[in-house]
Amino acid sequence: MSTAALYTWRKFKNAMMLSMTGLSLLAVIGVLFLILAYTVSKGINHINWDLITQMPAPVGEEGGGMANAIVGSLILVALGSAYGIPVGLFAGIYLAETEKGWFARTVRFLTEVLNGIPSIVIGVVAFIVVVLPMKRFSALAGGFALGILMIPLITRTTEEMIRLVPSSFREAGLALGIPRWKTMLFVILPAAFKGIFTGIFLSIARAIGETAPLLFTALGNRFWSTELDQPIASMTVFIYDYARAPFDDWNQQAWAASFILIMLVFVLNIIFRFVTRKTYTA
Amino acid sequence: MSLSMQDHNDQRSGQQAVRPAARALSLGGMFRKNPGDLIFENVTRFFAFIVLALVVLMVYEMTVQSWPSIQHFGFSFVSSSDWDPVNDLYGALPFIYGTLFSSLGALLLAVPLSVGVAIFLSEIAPGWLEQPLSMLVELLAAIPSIVYGLFGIFVMVPWLQTDIQPFLIEEFGWMPLFEGAPYGFGMLAAILILTIMILPIITSISRDVMRAIPDTQREAAMALGATRWEAIRIVLTGSKSGILSAALLGLGRAVGETMAVTMVIGNSADISISVLNPAHTMASVLANEFAEATSQLYVSSLIEIALLLFVMTLILNAIARGIVWRITKRYGAVAA
Amino acid sequence: MYDIMQQPLKRSSMSSTQTAEEKISVATDMETAPRMEALRLNAWYGKTQALFNVSLEIPRNKVLAIIGPSGCGKSTFLRSLNRMHEEVGGRIDGRILLDGEDIMDNDPVFLRRKVGMVFQKPNPFPTMTVAQNVVAGLKLNGMRDRKELARITEENLRRVALWDEVKDALNKPGSSLSGGQQQRLCIARTLAVEPEVILMDEPASALDPISTMKIEELIDELKKKYTIVIVTHNMQQAARISDYTAFFYMGKLIEVGKTSKIFTKPAHRQTEDYVTGSFG
Ligand SMILES: Nc1ncnc2c1ncn2[C@@H]1O[C@H](COP(=O)(O)OP(=O)(O)O)[C@@H](O)[C@H]1O
Ligand SMILES: [Mg+2]
């Protein structure tokens, strides 16, 4: 190849490859907007008061809502949070305080492991540990599964956020003769509070969006129930059932529920990003 | 402060450098004598222990519960393709095959696309655009998988059925890969939806890895008369192992993804080379059959599938983390 | 910030019909036509201006040292000469000539082959072997002949006096060498594309004294064939190795002349203060 031809070829390749990267980005963002556009356009028309205040209509009938599913999701997430948040939070504090040693290192690794476990597998474990002994599907089993899912996220953000607090804070506390635990609780945690708090919210967002671990734990329920030892409805399982139902009206309701879900999750995510970025630059 | 991909282990060196004073103080022995500190430390350690206990419990329980199936079928569980609840015969090969096929297929599509996006974000986009664009890409990861499934059923599947698959059959039907009828539901839909779902994680890790390559490398290339793309190639070579670990983490996600796949893959325990046919994955068979499993052996077999899934993702994640850990050791100073 | 196609930047605002009288020739005592020339060069990073109206001739086959306090624009000037300045989003106006031709007229990809650059921190490609590093630039230009590449590798490693040290380590990663060896490897890499001008931005500042000495010896050797512009912080180094010295201060060229003159009888008070160390 002559120098000139080679040069033309190199310029061409440069232009082409650079444009390809731009096109990849456009494609990916295009898909995001496509999903959002469908969810909004199909969902928004069917969001009405009934959807959030009514019980599901009997099979084959139009109308109805998912009041029980909304309440069910909240109960499930509350159950998960009840133990997921303390475990995640304190484990995160422990890891932030303990840099070395086999135990801290193991826990840190297991946090990553836990984070990578498919949520359906966590559902299976909750089935074994809660459903089998109780001999019935229950809200407790679903809450147990969601709690496991929340732990690694909370542990990780807690550790990271604490580490972002300037060491001068800690030194100032310790230099004043304040015990380490008080320095942690009253100086460092408040400084990292915003980040940790939104991290917790993010894990709640994740738990609310989960379906797989609920399928054979909380199961779902077409009727009103807030009993913890009974099967309970949830928004995601509601969407799953209504999406596969052969009724147009139900499918529409699935879209509307998805719209609500997605808004919830996005708002929590965007808040999280905003807050953590502030913390980073502070 | 550090790469988001960074394993916690890797920040150690940096931390020590930053906080010598804190270290000296905390080891000063003062708090060791303080009962409050002692209690606090042990309480937090207890909660850390719960994390460890949970994982141990999970492995233990799954092993115990799948023991009947493991004993009954032995190795044939993973080599047999007979999945026959009526006769209480369980072979998981179709699901293992479906899981590998769908996730590797998704990986094949997602890696080039993700790396392209990562290049654009890290090497081309102007600084002020990089953050918002990255955020958009990462928002894809925040969409619940049930919503992907809904989108799959009502948008992607009809589109595949009426537009894409007839075209594939027409043009490429002679290839076994595209043999069959246009159902819409099936392996192709699963692969596409998984591709979208694993894009964000591969993209953001690759971007972080590429950004950790010092600018002096790009300058060295440019100063030799490299075009911008040729300079990027240098950056890419330096990021190879990081991109590999990003791909493995993406694969881990794909392997375990349940809802979206279950909703579009067609749920049929057949082993087929054609992407047009319905299939099943390990996760989707759990989602479909677990709640209805009747016999004890049936449940036990399903739990064994869950255990296999757990082991698969564990291995993938461990390898990926190991690679990340090695890289951050190499570029440690740069990453901080 | 980035120009996707690497199009040349906007043409300089000065007209090309500018007459010779207009240009401010500071180094009037050069024997031959200059290899490069900067004419009323201004440079910016975004809105901050880093160079003000710098006009300077770069003599052929000589070593020109650029000195001045940190932040005075030495690197900016150097990086304008091979258009690396625009890669970090910088902008210039004024003209820069290479053998009488405006460097903005040509693709930077070509320019940078003629005007090579050595950086402050050695930056071999860690994913390439020592040998691959040397010929990295040539490969871009399509050279594939293995024998020829091997010959060029050896030739250039010998020129930087590195051959004997690394001839058994040619297949090790470029980053496995010591700092001083890495910097000589980078020089070899720059030499391999046969440039006419070599720009060096404090090439020895990150090295130990012995490696520094080797680099200085090398520069002395290279000036027989190449035009060299070297930025240095080290006054003794400038005095030892350069033929001409330019003193920059706050983005302006204060004074340029024969090194012996700059260090003994500078015309400006600021220069004198700086070279005698009583600066600031
Ligand atoms: N990438 C950059 N962005 C913005 N300003 C810069 C950049 N690089 C250098 N500058 C500014 O330009 C001026 C000249 O810098 P430089 O040429 O690097 O100085 P020197 O090499 O003499 O130390 C300094 O004031 C510096 O702060
Ligand atoms: Mg400089």
Side-chain angles (χ1 to χ4, degrees), chain C residues 194-236:
Chain C
E194 304 284 344
E196 296 162 10
V197 182
I198 301 175
L199 311 174
M200 299 184 169
D201 195 346
E202 308 194 25
S205 69
L207 306 181
D208 60 277
I210 292 178
S211 301
T212 303
M213 206 183 68
K214 283 187 180 162
I215 301 272
E216 287 184 10
E217 282 168 6
L218 179 59
I219 292 172
D220 208 50
E221 189 63 33
L222 290 175
K223 76 175 177 192
K224 292 175 190 149
K225 229 185 128 193
Y226 301 94
T227 300
I228 295 173
V229 186
I230 177 169
V231 168
T232 176
H233 234 91
N234 180 330
M235 235 71 63
Q236 285 79 36

Side-chain angles (χ1 to χ4, degrees), chain B residues 124 216-217 219 222 225 228, chain C residues 2 79 87 109 112 123-124 126:
Chain B
I124 299 171
T216 54
Q217 290 289 305
E219 294 193 328
M222 303 290 271
R228 170 139 262 148
Chain C
Y2 294 106
R79 294 164 64 93
E87 297 300 338
V109 167
R112 290 175 195 143
N123 53 1

